[in-house]
Amino acid sequence: MLSAALSGFLLGASLIIAIGAQNAYILRQGLLREHVFILSFICALSDALLIAAGVAGLGTLIAQSPKLISFVTLGGAAFLFWYASVAFRRAFHPEGLRAAGSGGSSLKAAVGTVLALTFLNPHVYLDTVVLLGGLSARFEGVNRAAYGVGAALASFIWFFSLGYGARLLQPVFAKPAAWRVLDILIGLVMAGIATSLLVRFLHN
């Protein structure tokens, strides 16, 4: 059982730590110290629920639903392009830059953004439901459950470490130039993911 849990943990960590929309957003909110706990918790819990669904066999159902995949792909690409434009606008308009603690987005807006970045991004489903869920077929019974718990634990550890660890970089981000660079990188990440989604959609 421990071996199965470790396998799930390592695979989950390898997928979650890759640069993505969720990570970029949590990093920025962590630097600003805005709603860090609830946003990290939402990301980790969402991953845990999707992993559980994948382990339970939902991955096969999603893989056989091309219309659902197309809808999520187009919706996700549109949202990510919009968020990229917001990031670029912050980067090139100095008045959009602000220090941590000076007040920012409301909890409702932040939660709405992180939920959209999570559930409108097909990569999330591919990583958690399809890939992690599909590989759970190697295990049976309690070992399969342990595999899922290990993968979910990796998500919790990562998002909370990213959210609360980001404050260690605050001395660097005391300068507006650092925020410009971060927002440009976030915009590029979001736009890159959106473009890859559209390319995949057009080639299917």
Side-chain angles (χ1 to χ4, degrees), residues 8-9 11-13 15-16 43-59 124-125 127-134 136 144-156:
F9 180 87
L11 181 58
L15 294 173
I16 295 163
C43 285
L45 181 62
S46 297
D47 276 4
L49 293 174
L50 291 171
I51 290 169
V55 170
L58 185 61
V124 172
Y125 298 97
D127 288 347
T128 57
V129 181
V130 178
L131 183 55
L132 282 170
S136 70
R144 191 168 185 175
Y147 168 89
V149 170
L153 180 62
S155 184
F156 273 91

Side-chain angles (χ1 to χ4, degrees), residues 164-201:
Y164 285 101
R167 64 188 61 190
L168 298 177
L169 297 174
Q170 281 191 329
V172 176
F173 286 88
K175 299 179 180 179
W179 284 102
R180 290 191 181 95
V181 172
L182 177 64
D183 279 322
I184 290 173
L185 290 176
I186 289 175
L188 290 174
V189 168
M190 301 295 184
I193 295 173
T195 300
S196 71
L197 292 178
L198 287 180
V199 170
R200 180 178 297 177
F201 175 79

Side-chain angles (χ1 to χ4, degrees), residues 4-81:
L6 181 60
S7 177
F9 180 87
L10 293 176
L11 181 58
S14 67
L15 294 173
I16 295 163
I17 292 174
I19 295 175
Q22 284 177 310
N23 290 343
Y25 186 69
I26 294 298
L27 173 62
R28 193 174 200 282
Q29 294 303 111
L31 286 166
L32 293 171
R33 299 193 182 190
E34 287 184 1
H35 321 302
V36 178
F37 179 86
I38 187 63
L39 296 180
S40 299
F41 182 76
I42 288 172
C43 285
L45 181 62
S46 297
D47 276 4
L49 293 174
L50 291 171
I51 290 169
V55 170
L58 185 61
T60 302
L61 179 63
I62 289 181
Q64 295 175 347
S65 304
K67 288 185 178 180
L68 176 61
I69 293 175
S70 296
F71 173 77
V72 174
T73 297
L74 292 176
F79 179 81
L80 289 171
F81 274 128

